[in-house]
Amino acid sequence: MNDERDPDSPPSHDSVIPRAQDELAELKHLLIGLERARIEEILRRLDDPALRAKEISRILPEAISYRSGGDGKLVSALVRTVEDSVRLSVERNPLTLVDSLFPVMGPAIRKSTGEFIRAMVQSLNQTLEHSFSFQGLKWRFESFRTGKPFAEVVLVHSLVFRVEQVFLIHRETGLLLAHVTEETVVFQDADMVSGMLTAIQDFVRDSFETSRFEGLEDLRIGELTVLVEHGPLAYLAAVVRGTPPVELRTLLKEHLEACHLDFGRALESFDGNAAPFQSAENLLQGCLKNRFKSPRKKPFPYVKVLAAMLVGALGFWAWLVVRDGLRWRAYLDRLRAEKGIVVVHSGKQGGKRMVVGLRDPLAADPMSFLIENGLDPSAVVGKWERFEAMDAEFVLARAQQALDPPDTARLSLERGTLIAKGEAPSQWAADARRLARMIPGVARYHDEDLTVSYETVLERIRKQLATPSAVMLDLTDGVLTARGVAPYAWILNARTLARFLPGVNEYRDDALGIDFDVALRRIRKELAAPETVSLKIEDGVLVASGKAGHHWILEARKTAGSFPEISGYRDAGVVDSDRESLQQLERAISVTALHFERNSTTMVGGQEHSLAGLVESMRALRQLAETLGLVFRIEVRGHTDSLGLERDNALISANRANAVASYLVSQGVPAASLHTEGVGSTNPVVREVSEKDRAMNRRVTFSVISGDRPAERDSR
């Protein structure tokens, strides 16, 4: 087919539309092209932050200058920005602001420090002047009663002053702005005084080359003192008669600050006309303070009584201190004189008296001497280390305590030799010879004068037979008689050895019983019986009950016949814990069911925990079966719901059982112990009414069959 168009044919609709669009676009460009270009240029300038900032920067200085001449809104708007800028500058580099403020801060700090030192010295002078006088004691009591500092009380009662005149003077021109005076004071021309103060300040500043921030601060003329407080635009001069208190300067500073606050703009634009400052006189009236000394009164008798009581209390306290010191020294002397006690150090610790030293355990208790010397035991701490004193009475007492001689024997000590006399059993004599030289302070031991009693032969026999403490032996006319209770093994051994003992012609143990407690302890130890097993002997038969492992039960049956104390062994009351655990595992496996998707060998999700528990149970079952000598088989049965043909259901159920068995084998379960079977829908767990019931029947179940190994069955 030929797709070429005939040139004489009319143009198609598809070619006309693009040409019309081009012509329309050209017409738009001719009509609005210039305005559109300008709009795009304006938008570009508005969207470009750098270009817009550059254009604003050209008119910003003129705009700020123009706005500053109007109202104060620009200042209010910039306050927060300037504050944040200063704060940020200080956080980044505080040294920049410090260097800028150095010319101003230096004079201000020196001025403040000088005023503080002068105020402190002035207060100290007044305090020392009245500290040790009767009036000073009275003021100290007032300070204690009111809670005010003592220096403040002194100033209130001792200082007298009156502010007679106050001048507010312009700093640059030295002209008087406002002046107030106390009503009763006759004063000179205020302008003349203001000019004089300005001249003096200029003279001081020019003569000593001080900075513009420093100036004359006070001027003394007889009883008058002129206090000057400087500000950036004006300063206050107060004429005070008497000694001005420290707080007066603070008062002047506060009023000067108030003047700057109320008349700041007027001070900046001052042109010699003081009329705007007439209202400042009301503010300066607050500086006209005065204070008068109260008339002296004759002290009341109770002051003398109080002073006498104070002196008496101090004397009593001093007497108590001296008495306690004497008692403490007497206590230490008593300790140093006591034998068996050595004082190493004494002093105080934590507000209590303390004594450290050495003490023989047989020495007297140091704490008992505290009450004898009138000291409180709770206020004394004693730290005593044990040591052995070598004094004769301590060595002898130590020997009496260690050897514990019978009443028929006595001990004495002569030059380090311990001597035993009298009569004692042979066992005690032998123990004394062995232990005597171990006693600190005993160098030798003599017992030549010690008579060994008739029990010597009997003690020797007890030792040879290793007789238990529960057995009593008696030797009369060559007949050795044993009474009490003893282990069966000892009874057999004594019957064998007694005939060969020197001095023994006959041995009788008719009154000797078997100590079954000892036998049971030995049997339990040899059998390694667990705590869950109880053992007892009934009529010569060892009876076991409780719970134990299979291996221990078998070993106990083999070993029980080797004990001579018993004639038989019975363990019907012992529960085999391994068989019990096996039964629990069989029940756990039998109640486990794994559910599957419909017509599939894929298990329903969320059964991972059940599957993992099933694997662990089968592994444990295998180990217990080996321990018990059993063989087991696990039946793995697949089930389906009742939908579909039974032939297909049987195949699906068999596949499900085989899939589970394959997974179990991969997890270590022996393949020989698994038997799979598909039962289809022949054994439903629930009657199918709903889809939920059918889902319950799509499952794999398990059953365990265990029994003895063939060899064991044959042997039984």
Side-chain angles (χ1 to χ4, degrees):
M1 181 176 180
N2 190 0
D3 293 335
E4 294 182 358
R5 183 180 298 274
D6 188 356
D8 296 331
S9 63
S12 66
H13 179 72
D14 293 338
S15 62
V16 172
I17 291 176
R19 189 163 54 250
Q21 291 178 347
D22 293 340
E23 293 175 354
L24 180 61
E26 184 178 358
L27 179 61
K28 286 182 180 180
H29 178 72
L30 292 175
L31 294 176
I32 61 173
L34 182 60
E35 287 75 6
R36 183 175 182 180
R38 290 179 180 178
I39 292 173
E40 291 178 352
E41 176 64 20
I42 293 173
L43 292 176
R44 185 181 66 82
R45 292 168 60 187
L46 292 176
D47 294 338
D48 189 349
L51 183 59
R52 190 167 65 254
K54 183 176 180 181
E55 292 177 349
I56 293 174
S57 66
R58 296 172 183 171
I59 62 172
L60 183 61
E62 290 79 3
I64 294 177
S65 177
Y66 175 78
R67 187 60 177 174
S68 299
D71 52 21
K73 293 184 178 180
L74 179 63
V75 176
S76 301
L78 292 178
V79 166
R80 183 60 182 271
T81 304
V82 173
E83 290 178 350
D84 293 342
S85 301
V86 172
R87 186 181 300 108
L88 181 60
S89 176
V90 172
E91 292 176 354
R92 291 182 176 177
N93 186 8
L95 294 179
T96 302
L97 189 60
V98 171
D99 294 340
S100 301
L101 295 179
F102 176 76
V104 179
M105 295 299 294
I109 293 173
R110 288 195 295 273
K111 177 181 177 181
S112 176
T113 304
E115 291 177 358
F116 173 76
I117 294 175
R118 278 198 301 275
M120 182 182 66
V121 172
Q122 183 179 4
S123 177
L124 180 62
N125 290 336
Q126 295 296 331
T127 302
L128 293 176
E129 181 180 351
H130 297 283
S131 291
F132 303 100
S133 63
F134 178 77
Q135 187 68 33
L137 294 177
K138 178 181 177 182
W139 289 346
R140 284 193 180 277
F141 177 73
E142 181 180 348
S143 173
F144 172 77
R145 179 175 57 83
T146 60
K148 295 181 179 179
F150 176 66
E152 181 179 343
V153 176
V154 172
L155 290 174
V156 169
H157 288 282
S158 62
L159 292 180
V160 177
F161 74 95
R162 181 176 64 178
V163 180
E164 297 185 347
Q165 300 182 63
V166 179
F167 301 85
L168 177 62
I169 303 172
H170 190 256
R171 185 180 186 90
E172 295 296 333
T173 62
L175 296 178
L176 181 65
L177 301 177
H179 170 245
V180 294
T181 180
E182 211 272 341
E183 295 179 357
T184 59
V185 175
V186 179
F187 60 93
Q188 301 293 332
D189 184 8
D191 291 326
M192 181 182 67
V193 176
S194 171
M196 178 193 68
L197 289 175
T198 302
I200 294 175
Q201 293 230 54
D202 293 339
F203 168 75
V204 172
R205 188 178 295 111
D206 295 339
S207 299
F208 299 99
E209 298 182 355
T210 60
S211 67
R212 61 183 296 270
F213 298 101
E214 298 176 336
L216 188 65
E217 295 185 354
D218 58 57
L219 178 64
R220 297 182 183 275
I221 307 173
E223 296 181 357
L224 296 178
T225 301
V226 180
L227 300 181
V228 182
E229 284 298 331
H230 295 271
L233 301 176
Y235 61 89
L236 277 181
V239 180
V240 185
R241 184 175 299 276
T243 304
V246 178
E247 60 267 23
L248 184 57
R249 280 198 175 273
T250 303
L251 181 65
L252 295 177
K253 291 178 181 178
E254 293 175 354
H255 283 73
L256 181 59
E257 292 171 356
C259 290
H260 279 76
L261 181 62
D262 295 344
F263 304 98
R265 291 188 178 274
L267 289 172
E268 291 178 355
S269 59
F270 179 67
D271 56 358
N273 181 16
F277 301 96
Q278 290 182 358
S279 60
E281 295 181 357
N282 297 329
L283 185 61
L284 298 182
Q285 288 290 338
C287 299
L288 297 177
K289 301 293 182 179
N290 57 61
R291 189 174 297 163
F292 301 94
K293 184 184 295 185
S294 302
R296 295 180 59 86
K297 296 181 180 180
K298 187 175 181 179
F300 290 100
Y302 73 84
V303 177
K304 296 181 179 180
V305 174
L306 181 62
M309 292 176 61
L310 181 60
V311 172
L314 291 175
F316 180 71
W317 174 78
W319 176 77
L320 290 178
V321 172
V322 173
R323 186 197 64 177
D324 290 345
L326 293 176
R327 289 180 177 180
W328 179 250
R329 284 195 290 271
Y331 171 69
L332 294 179
D333 294 339
R334 178 71 175 83
L335 291 180
R336 293 187 180 98
E338 184 69 22
K339 291 184 178 180
I341 294 178
V342 178
V343 178
V344 177
H345 172 70
S346 63
K348 286 190 175 182
Q349 181 183 29
K352 295 184 178 182
R353 295 187 183 274
M354 177 189 64
V355 58
V356 180
L358 306 175
R359 174 178 174 264
D360 190 286
L362 300 175
D365 186 3
M367 301 301 288
S368 63
F369 301 144
L370 291 172
I371 300 178
E372 296 179 7
N373 289 272
L375 296 174
D376 183 8
S378 62
V380 178
V381 178
K383 297 180 180 179
W384 301 99
E385 295 292 337
R386 177 190 176 98
F387 90 114
E388 306 290 344
M390 294 295 105
D391 299 274
E393 60 255 42
F394 285 99
V395 176
L396 184 58
R398 201 174 297 124
Q400 292 279 358
Q401 189 180 65
L403 300 181
D404 190 19
D407 296 337
T408 56
R410 61 184 182 277
L411 299 176
S412 61
L413 185 68
E414 296 180 2
R415 298 179 181 179
T417 301
L418 183 64
I419 301 173
K421 296 181 180 181
E423 183 179 357
S426 59
Q427 185 62 42
W428 183 89
D431 292 340
R433 294 190 189 100
R434 177 172 55 86
L435 298 176
R437 293 192 179 183
M438 301 180 187
I439 300 173
V442 176
R444 294 171 296 277
Y445 175 71
H446 289 170
D447 62 353
E448 288 82 359
D449 297 330
L450 183 67
T451 301
V452 179
S453 63
Y454 68 94
E455 297 178 352
T456 304
V457 177
L458 196 57
E459 289 294 330
R460 176 174 52 82
I461 292 175
R462 291 185 66 90
K463 185 175 181 181
Q464 290 176 340
L465 293 179
T467 307
S469 58
V471 175
M472 299 178 59
L473 297 179
D474 180 58
L475 183 62
T476 304
D477 298 332
V479 178
L480 180 63
T481 304
R483 298 182 179 86
V485 291
Y488 185 72
W490 184 88
I491 295 174
L492 297 178
N493 185 61
R495 290 173 181 174
T496 303
L497 297 179
R499 295 176 295 174
F500 302 99
L501 296 175
V504 177
N505 300 324
E506 184 180 354
Y507 174 68
R508 297 176 182 175
D509 60 0
D510 302 336
L512 187 65
I514 299 176
D515 189 352
F516 288 111
D517 292 337
V518 176
L520 277 176
R521 286 196 294 270
R522 183 174 63 84
I523 291 173
R524 172 175 285 277
K525 183 177 181 180
E526 293 187 13
L527 288 179
E531 296 181 356
T532 55
V533 173
S534 299
L535 297 177
K536 61 181 179 179
I537 298 177
E538 295 179 352
D539 299 330
V541 178
L542 180 63
V543 179
S545 61
K547 183 182 292 187
H550 184 74
H551 177 74
W552 183 87
I553 294 174
L554 297 179
E555 290 297 323
R557 290 171 181 172
K558 295 178 183 178
T559 310
S562 62
F563 299 122
E565 294 92 340
I566 61 175
S567 58
Y569 175 67
R570 188 166 62 246
D571 64 353
V574 178
V575 177
D576 192 332
S577 60
D578 291 333
R579 286 189 178 275
E580 190 177 58
S581 299
L582 180 67
Q583 293 172 0
Q584 293 176 355
L585 288 174
E586 290 177 353
R587 286 194 295 270
I589 294 173
S590 299
V591 299
T592 301
L594 301 177
H595 297 275
F596 289 79
E597 300 288 348
R598 183 178 179 182
N599 295 330
S600 173
T601 58
T602 302
M603 287 193 301
V604 176
Q607 301 184 88
E608 293 80 3
H609 181 71
S610 299
L611 191 59
L614 180 66
V615 172
E616 292 298 325
S617 298
M618 289 185 177
R619 290 174 179 172
L621 178 68
R622 177 185 178 186
Q623 294 177 356
L624 284 176
E626 292 178 355
T627 301
L628 297 172
L630 301 176
V631 293
F632 69 94
R633 185 180 67 180
I634 300 175
E635 299 285 346
V636 183
R637 294 187 181 90
H639 303 265
T640 65
D641 55 25
S642 59
L643 298 178
L645 299 176
E646 185 60 28
R647 180 185 57 190
D648 297 334
N649 291 340
L651 179 60
I652 293 174
S653 62
N655 291 338
R656 289 173 178 172
N658 292 331
V660 173
S662 299
Y663 176 78
L664 294 176
V665 171
S666 68
Q667 297 299 315
V669 179
S673 63
L674 298 175
H675 175 73
T676 61
E677 180 183 5
V679 297
S681 60
T682 60
N683 189 18
V685 67
V686 293
R687 188 168 62 89
E688 296 181 2
V689 177
S690 62
E691 176 58 29
K692 183 178 180 181
D693 298 335
R694 286 189 286 273
M696 290 293 293
N697 288 330
R698 295 193 293 268
R699 71 195 189 281
V700 168
T701 59
F702 307 88
S703 61
V704 181
I705 302 173
S706 60
D708 295 337
R709 294 182 185 274
E712 293 187 3
R713 288 198 297 269
D714 295 342
S715 63
R716 293 183 182 181

